[in-house]
Each structure stands twice: as structure tokens, then as C-alpha cells.
Amino acid sequence: MAKKLSKVPVVIVGMGWAGGIIASELTKAGIKVVGLERGKERDMSDYSMVHDELRFQHREELMQDLSKETITHRNNLKMRALPMRSYGTFIVGEGLGGAGSHWNGQTYRFLPYDFEIRSLTEKRYGKNKIKSDYPIQDWGITYDDMEPYYDTFEKMAGISGETVELYGKRSNPYPTGPMIKTPVLAEFEQAAKKLGYKPYMIPSANLSENYKNPDGISRSACQYCAYCENFGCEYGAKADPVVTVIPVAKETGNLDLRTYSNVTRIVNDGRKATGVIYVDTFTGEEFEQPAEVVVLASYVFNNVRLLLNSKLGTPYDPKTKNGVIGKNYCYQVSSGYSSLYYNDREFNIYGGAGALGIEIPDFAGDNFDHSDVNFLHGAGIRTTQYGNRPIANNNSPIGTPSWGAEFKKQSIKYANSILQVKSQGASMPHTQNYLDLDPTYKDVYGMPLMRMTYDYTAQDRELVKYMAKVTRSIAKKMGPDHIDTVAEQGDFNVNTDTNTHNTGGVIMGTDPNDSAVNTYLQMWDAENVFVAGSSAFPHNSSFNPTGTLGAFSYRAAEGIVKYLKKGGSLV
Amino acid sequence: MSDNEKSQIEKRGSTRRTFLKNSGLAVGGLILGGAVGSIFDGNSDSDVKTEQKNQTQGNNPNEALMFFYPEEYQTTAAAAERIFPKDETGPGALELNAAIYIDHQLNSGWGVNEKDYKLGPYYKPEPTQGEQVKLYRKDLFRLGLKELNAYSNKNYQKKFTDLDATGQDEVLAAFEKGEASSLSGVSSSAFFQLLRTLTIEGVYADPLYGGNKEMLGWQMRKYPGSRMGYTKEIQSKDFVKLDPNSLQSHMKH
């Protein structure tokens, strides 16, 4: 039997960006919060040995321990789903800060088009443009409504960037200026400008300058050390919950943070939650933490899984298309890209930062005419300079063997002489792509794993082909000696695809029949449960999701404060 | 690099020569393949001196085996060298101690798949579903080494280390394609991929793991290792070559 603890106003499951922001806002407002985190506690000093590619990137030090829990995957309903036994694709964070510790720091806003995607698409192209098996929905809130929350998130994190004309209007400039435009990025810039595009520096959570945020947190500027993605920042230059919102929450004295605490169920009667059950991951002891409000703020997959395992909300059924939990799971498409090989030039690409990059807005959202193409939305076309770490980066022209004398010769020759023009494309929901519980596989606590049924859609494949051509045209203008372009989107492969921008499964909207939460991320079916994170996105844009996740976390926090005062539905 | 560090590295180089000589790990196939080069070139005088020093000081204790038996080490060293051979750009996997790295990794938690999902049932996956291998990495590797010899004996009437470079490449290519016998139900290509991955890691991971000897793997590709930052360098139009640093340099901070 679980040991029952005394009741608290709010319990938060997962202490990454969503949980950290909500904890910070609530505790500042004087509300007592219990924060449950399954992984270890961390602070900045823990990152001093972080320049270790093997330990952090290839042995996934900051990621979830898959021996305890993973996902299962199948490409379609006819296949048997099998567990992802080791990391190949999604790297799912664990420990204080969650994915917010190991991210790259690319921090965009979604477009006005994203929030009203169905209305605006139908308005411009007619009712038939969106095919019936793509459940594309308006989000129930507009960009203008979201703008102040984006602004708050960007000020907290100190986002560095420059205003982009083709994107939504900003009430304020970015709190810090753009990162350094290196010669590598200037190559892309010149080529893109020659083609009439409007390149801009990628907005970055790696500070371009020293910065003090409105909470009084001071952080220093990025040193371009090249260890962002998969790594924590030893300078605190990268915005991370561990160096921003969590210390603020702790400072109030209102946060009771419990690490090594893995939540397995939400206690509920189908209409309301009374708390959560969690396990001490060391001793196996079970606890029940009663609370007035339960906030799910773990990763996309676990948010969905906790609801399903707790029998809260109606599971989505791909046959009848009824139900909402697990619906509209989306990913991102990044298979269209060009690699540029230079025979006589070397670049300082051993250095860089996770959000050091340049991009064009011209092919994002509905910024170009979709009348004659078989896809919606678009992609960011970009060149980044993350810092090419040597185990992960052994590029050579297509056709080079993957080992042996020729491999060695070519991969070393081009170690500092390869650039890429990449695309990151939006992902539209499909009725047959969804999340549910696996009928066979379980985690170490005996709870069913989450099953992902997902493959790329016709829309994705068309988008990739189109964007690959754009990357090639820019690449040509950059004048390398050799270009390889990849233009085909293969089947989704859980072992090789490399993007952790998963979204959906507990999506927001205005109607309980096609969404699970309202725009405060409050569940329709249980008014004292809030489900924060990118699980709330009805589709995925072409941008990295954290900026939008952060903005909605501020909105959810505002909703929770209101709910604690008045109760009932917030809309 | 401080003088002290420099002399440490020099000592390490000598120690390695002695180690190979004394333990009888000279790899036949590598000499035939011309890949072993300078390791065996040391003049005998200095080797004798080093040996004496060695017995008293025990330099670089990292260069010893915690998992492999000597012949397994020999086979691994030979196979890794074919994955990443010595050439005019610089040393190969053998000189860089990739096989020492592999030995240490297979004896770590990673060798017994500690962070992998291991609960059953196991089914044959579709190509999009990732590996469904029940064997531990350390066991798969050991079986793979055994099969390298079995396959070589069957097709060339020699053990793997006695083949010349071309023969070794042919054997490895067959493994890559999954043409060798299955390893307790696992395709030989899974072993090959493990060998390839571990070799690249052993060449380029921080020297603290036992490979990338003297950071020569990094040196070859002008990678500066782990430094505190590159704010100045990334702004330069010209390539800035820096001597590599290892993580050890961060212990001072």
C-alpha cells in the first residue's frame, strides 16, 4: 500500500521547462508546490566535466534510462509494435531540468498561421485543400493572444535574436542581440540574399551577451564551446530550468522538490484527480501525494501514458476517430538537405553553439503560395554551426564506404571542410498516427509502455522533396566543390531518425470532442488536472518547440492560479 | 602542454612498445598489411631502458586488459585497424589504442546493456524498428571475434590475424553484409556495426577512456578536443589550428 502523505495545493509531475516555469510562477505567487522528478538533482557545477562527447552524447548521460521505461513503435496498425531498446532517435531527458538541460537552445515562436491553420488555409485555398484524413485544427487561441506569454518566456530565458518581418508581430525586441554571425553563416547569408530570401539569425537561448532577467537571475555570455545538444552548459549561458526558473522557485521556500520520485498513476474518479502515486526509485517504496491540482509536465510520451494508465480522458481510436488522448501525435521532417564539400577551404567548425545558425523565413508556414503543391505549411531552411564533434561527425560524399582506408581518408579530409544547408519541416497530424498503451510491453513498475503508431505521410514526403530543392539551390550559390542532396523521405525508422521534437497526444482546442485540454492546458474531463508541454500542440510547426512550450507554460501557470481561487472551467 | 605532461606521454609511447613485445601481441596480419608501422620500429636500446623504468614506475596502467583474453585483443586490434587503417594522414586504430578502448567499454555497464530496455518478448523486427537483440554487447562481441576466426579458417584456411589486409577486408565485408554464420541468432552484421562504432569511438573519444592515444586521433583531423570556448576562433575567416586538450585539463577548474 502506498504511504499517504499530507495534502498540498499543487503537485507537479516532471521538473523540466514546463514544470519548472509553473513551479516558479506558482511559488512566487505564494502557493505551496511539490515538484516530483524521477531523475537526479542537478546544478551548474555538475556540468564541469561536460566536454565529453562519449559520455553525454553517445552514452546519453542526461537521458532517460531505457531499462526502466521506453516506448514501443510500429509504422502502421498492421504491424506489431516493438520496444525501442536503445537510443537511436528521440533522446528523452531525465533529471532536474529535463530536456531543458540537454537542448540546443533554438527558441522560436510559432507563426500566426500555426494557431489558426485550418481557418487560414481554407480561407486562402478553399475547403478542399485539407484532406479528410488530416485532422488539422485551429488551436483555439491566436498568436496575438499568445504574444505576451512568448515575451515573458523570452525575457526569463534572455533569448538572443533579431526581429523577422515575415513572422508574427513582436511587442518588444529580443532581450539580447543575435549571436555572432560567423564566416560560415555569412556564406549562407550571401547565397540566400542572392536568391532574394531574407536570412535571419536563429533565436538562441545561448546568451549572446551577459544578461540579468526579470527574476534577478544573472547569466554570462556563450563561449561557443560546441557542447550544447546532449550536454548541460558549464557557464549557465544556455537557458536551462536548472539555472533559471528552478532556483527562483527554491528561493521562495514554497517548493518541495523531490527527486528520484517516479509518478506511476494519477489518483482520480474520472471527473477529478485527488493526487498522484509515485515510487521512490531507489527503495521501490510507494507514496500517495494528495493535491488540489495535479500538473502533468513530463515529456510528451509520459504525459500521454500517465493519462492512459490512470484511465483519465477518452483514448483516441484510429478506427472510429473518436476519443482524444493520444490523438494528433506529430513529429518533424528533416530529411531534405544538402551537404557541401570544399576541397581547398577549412572552416572553424569545431567551435559553435547549439543555437548558432542562420535561416530563411521564406518557406515557413504559409509564407509562400501552396496552390500548386500537395502539402501545407513548410520548413525552415538553415545552416547551423553546433560544433562538429568527432565521433558524431564523419561526413564524406555519398558513395564513400563507411569504413576502411577510403572512409578514413575522406572523413578526415572533409572534417573541417563540410557545411550543410538543412531543412526542418512542419508535421501535420494524420488519423492513423497516434499514441496508445502497448498491449504487451511494460515498464519496471509493471505499467504498460506507450505505443507509438507513426509513419511519415504523403504530405511529409512532398514537403521534403520540395524543400530539398530549395536547400540545393542555396548550396549551389555557396559554391562548394561538391554537393550531395538528400531529397527522399524514407519510412519512419525508430532507430535512425534524429529529432526529439515530438508533439501532440493531449492537444488543446475549444471543443471537448476533438481536444483534451483548453488553452490554459486544463483538462476538459478533469478540471483540476493541467497537462503542460508540447503534448498540447494540435500539430507541429517547422520550428523547435521549446519557445511555444514555454509560452503555454506561463499561460497554464496563470490558469492554475485562477483555478485555485475560483475553481471550475477556465473558459 | 607542460614539460611534465610531455614526458608522461613519451613514457607512455615506450611503454606500449614494451607491452606489445613482452606480451607476444605482435599481430601477424598487420605486419603483412603494412599497417603496424612505427610501433615495432623502436630501437632496442630505448626499449631496454623503458623496460627497467617500467618495472619500477608502471606507466599508463590503462594499457592492460580487463575484458579480453590476449588472443581476443589481438583479433580486435587487427579488425579495428582495418576499420580505421594507418595511412599518410596518420596513425590507425591500432596505434591509437582503439582495442584498449573497446576492451574497457565492453567491461563497463554499457557492455551489459545497463540502460537498454531488456524485457521480453523478443521478436524479429521490421527494418524500421531497431535492433531486437537479447545478447549483451560484450557477449555478442566475443561471439563475433570467434566467428571472425571461424569464417577465416573456413574460407582462407587461416585465422583472421594471419590474413593479409585484403583478406581481412574481405572477411569484414562479408560480416558487414551478414554473410557469416549467425551469432547465437544475431546477424554478423550486428557484430560488424558494433565493431565499427566502437572503433570510431576508440579513435576519437577523450583519452580518458583508453583510446585516442596522446590525442593523435584528434590531431589528425585538427580537432582541438575540449577547450573552454572558441569565441575568437569562430570569427576568423582563416582556419585556426589549436593543439588539442583533453578533459584532464578541466580537472584544474
Side-chain angles (χ1 to χ4, degrees), chain A residues 415-433:
Chain A
N416 302 297
S417 303
I418 178 178
L419 303 180
Q420 285 191 320
V421 179
K422 305 183 282 189
S423 66
Q424 180 170 280
S427 173
M428 295 298 114
H430 192 276
T431 54
Q432 305 303 296
N433 286 336

Side-chain angles (χ1 to χ4, degrees), chain A residues 51-52 59-60 73 75 80 83 85 223 227 235 346 348 350 393-394 402-404 408 441-442 494, chain B residues 83 85 90-91 115 117 119 121 128-129 132 176 196 201 209 221-223 227-228 230 233 238 240:
Chain A
H51 288 179
D52 183 343
R59 299 292 180 264
E60 295 99 6
H73 165 259
N75 291 66
R80 180 195 343 245
R85 294 193 179 272
Q223 304 297 307
Y227 286 81
Y235 306 101
E346 287 182 297
N348 295 308
Y350 51 76
N393 291 280
N394 285 285
S402 67
W403 59 280
K408 185 189 177 198
Y441 294 96
K442 296 196 163 50
V494 78
Chain B
I83 302 289
K115 283 181 80 178
Y117 185 76
L119 300 177
T128 55
Q129 292 183 299
Q132 301 289 321
E176 184 183 22
R196 183 197 175 271
E201 289 173 357
Y209 295 99
R221 56 188 285 154
K222 301 173 198 162
Y223 184 70
R227 285 172 171 260
M228 301 307 281
Y230 302 110
E233 289 80 5
D238 298 319
V240 184

Side-chain angles (χ1 to χ4, degrees), chain A residues 148-397:
Chain A
Y149 303 107
Y150 274 118
D151 192 57
T152 304
F153 177 76
E154 288 166 358
K155 283 179 178 146
M156 178 277 294
I159 303 303
S160 306
E162 54 188 350
T163 299
V164 183
E165 229 175 274
L166 285 171
Y167 293 166
K169 263 187 98 161
R170 304 178 55 88
S171 56
N172 290 296
Y174 283 100
T176 54
M179 297 192 87
I180 294 170
K181 192 178 290 165
T182 64
V184 167
L185 306 188
E187 294 277 326
F188 176 96
E189 181 185 42
Q190 285 153 20
K193 277 186 173 166
K194 275 184 209 155
L195 291 163
Y197 305 137
K198 301 180 183 67
Y200 67 95
M201 291 294 291
I202 290 177
S204 168
N206 312 314
L207 288 174
S208 63
E209 55 195 85
N210 295 346
Y211 178 70
K212 186 174 181 179
N213 80 5
D215 291 321
I217 298 277
S218 290
R219 292 159 42 224
S220 41
C222 175
Q223 304 297 307
Y224 301 88
C225 80
Y227 286 81
C228 288
E229 188 168 40
N230 299 286
F231 308 86
C233 180
E234 63 185 322
Y235 306 101
K238 177 168 78 177
D240 169 343
V242 167
V243 296
T244 53
V245 287
I246 290 170
V248 170
K250 279 183 178 167
E251 186 67 27
T252 63
N254 291 326
L255 175 66
D256 178 356
L257 178 66
R258 298 179 201 154
T259 49
Y260 302 110
S261 301
N262 190 15
V263 174
T264 54
R265 288 190 305 286
I266 306 154
V267 189
N268 74 93
D269 63 3
R271 298 302 305 161
K272 241 181 159 175
T274 55
V276 298
I277 304 284
Y278 70 92
V279 184
D280 176 321
T281 63
F282 289 141
T283 63
E285 197 180 352
E286 263 197 344
F287 296 92
E288 180 177 347
Q289 177 60 64
E292 255 169 73
V293 169
V294 172
V295 182
L296 299 191
S298 60
Y299 194 69
V300 175
F301 300 144
N302 202 48
N303 278 357
V304 174
R305 192 168 86 100
L306 272 176
L307 290 172
L308 293 172
N309 273 332
S310 310
K311 299 193 172 19
L312 195 50
T314 312
Y316 173 72
D317 180 341
K319 295 195 177 86
T320 63
K321 301 175 185 64
N322 292 327
V324 289
I325 308 299
K327 177 182 142 94
N328 282 32
Y329 164 74
C330 289
Y331 190 45
Q332 253 170 359
V333 283
S334 37
S335 291
Y337 63 93
S338 295
S339 300
L340 294 69
Y341 295 92
Y342 295 82
N343 288 335
D344 307 309
R345 294 184 65 189
E346 287 182 297
F347 305 96
N348 295 308
I349 46 178
Y350 51 76
L356 179 61
I358 189 162
E359 174 163 333
I360 53 168
D362 307 77
F363 295 94
D366 206 27
N367 285 345
F368 62 109
D369 187 4
H370 288 71
S371 302
D372 297 324
V373 297
N374 288 321
F375 63 88
L376 294 174
H377 213 300
I381 312 284
R382 40 152 76 174
T383 285
T384 53
Q385 188 173 354
Y386 299 160
N388 285 9
R389 292 178 291 273
I391 298 171
N393 291 280
N394 285 285
N395 297 296
S396 48

Side-chain angles (χ1 to χ4, degrees), chain B residues 130-249:
Chain B
E131 278 174 4
Q132 301 289 321
V133 173
K134 201 173 181 177
L135 285 182
Y136 290 147
R137 291 185 183 95
K138 72 179 174 89
D139 294 328
L140 176 61
F141 204 90
R142 187 155 259 159
L143 290 174
L145 292 175
K146 203 174 159 200
E147 178 59 18
L148 272 183
N149 275 329
Y151 185 92
S152 303
N153 274 321
K154 193 176 148 202
N155 292 281
Y156 301 87
Q157 293 75 50
K158 280 178 184 169
K159 62 179 184 177
F160 183 78
T161 48
D162 288 341
L163 293 173
D164 64 14
T166 312
Q168 290 179 340
D169 284 353
E170 283 169 15
V171 172
L172 290 171
F175 272 68
E176 184 183 22
K177 288 184 213 130
E179 287 168 2
S181 298
S182 93
L183 311 165
S184 283
V186 181
S187 166
S188 61
S189 69
F191 162 72
F192 177 85
Q193 288 310 327
L194 193 56
L195 169 70
R196 183 197 175 271
T197 302
L198 281 166
T199 302
I200 303 299
E201 289 173 357
V203 163
Y204 291 134
D206 192 279
L208 89 90
Y209 295 99
N212 188 13
K213 188 181 171 187
E214 293 162 28
M215 300 184 274
L216 288 172
W218 288 345
Q219 200 106 44
M220 236 182 321
R221 56 188 285 154
K222 301 173 198 162
Y223 184 70
S226 75
R227 285 172 171 260
M228 301 307 281
Y230 302 110
T231 308
K232 200 176 103 209
E233 289 80 5
I234 56 156
Q235 297 181 67
S236 165
K237 281 198 169 162
D238 298 319
F239 188 74
V240 184
K241 191 166 176 283
L242 300 166
D243 287 334
N245 276 352
S246 75
L247 255 189
Q248 196 179 37
S249 64

